[in-house]
Amino acid sequence: MIRLRQLQALEYVLSNRTLTRAAEVFGVTQPAMTRLIAQLEEDVGCKLLHRDQGRFQLTAQGTIFYDAASRVLNAARQLEGVAQSLREDSEGSIRIISSYGLIGSLIHRALATFVADYPSVKISMDTMRRPALEEAVHNGKFDIALATLPVRAPALCAIETLAA
């Protein structure tokens, strides 16, 4: 089974180009780093790295694997950010995005009631032009989005009419 620590070790080898330097920065011995990479290659079932003039580079298969691995590592970093937010503020936060002119007219009463009931929840509100709003919706960078219909949104987004 591929472990996150192995993926992190691969990332350190690639960014530092030598096992010795990668191990030093990663906080393990050089033999331990070698074992992590060897175990990863065994788990994957192919050679991921080759040495070129004393420095490590990805093989063709390694490049394909690392593209997917980097997405996993980025997701793990995002998850750590969420965990950090939860540790710092157990009540969480809400990000509201809106087209210009909608945020004040549609939700001010509901927002006032919510803040009274949940004073420790952090609320951020951003207004943006429609193209930026639709991009934020597609990237999932919001909790609540306010826009005039029609709006391009992924299938997983629930769309509710607040006013007509």
Side-chain angles (χ1 to χ4, degrees), residues 81-96 114-115 118-124 143:
V82 169
Q84 181 68 29
S85 293
L86 293 173
R87 283 191 294 272
E88 291 172 358
D89 181 12
S90 62
E91 295 292 329
S93 63
I94 295 175
R95 179 167 186 220
I96 301 171
F114 183 87
V115 168
Y118 303 97
S120 60
V121 173
K122 294 177 186 164
I123 298 173
S124 68
D143 296 297

Side-chain angles (χ1 to χ4, degrees), residues 129-152:
R129 296 186 188 283
R130 188 170 194 90
L133 183 124
E134 287 185 348
E135 182 180 332
V137 167
H138 279 279
N139 293 329
K141 296 183 177 181
F142 71 99
D143 296 297
I144 299 169
L146 301 172
T148 56
L149 293 176
V151 65
R152 292 182 316 122

Side-chain angles (χ1 to χ4, degrees), residues 55-133:
R55 300 196 181 276
F56 283 93
Q57 294 182 347
L58 290 169
T59 63
Q61 293 164 319
T63 300
I64 294 167
F65 178 81
Y66 187 68
D67 284 344
S70 63
R71 289 190 296 274
V72 171
L73 289 165
N74 287 334
R77 283 189 275 275
Q78 287 176 339
L79 189 58
E80 183 56 39
V82 169
Q84 181 68 29
S85 293
L86 293 173
R87 283 191 294 272
E88 291 172 358
D89 181 12
S90 62
E91 295 292 329
S93 63
I94 295 175
R95 179 167 186 220
I96 301 171
I97 59 174
S98 172
S99 299
Y100 289 103
L102 294 180
I103 209 159
S105 61
L106 287 178
I107 65 167
H108 66 279
R109 274 187 241 141
L111 200 53
T113 302
F114 183 87
V115 168
D117 291 344
Y118 303 97
S120 60
V121 173
K122 294 177 186 164
I123 298 173
S124 68
M125 296 185 286
D126 294 315
T127 55
M128 53 189 68
R129 296 186 188 283
R130 188 170 194 90
L133 183 124

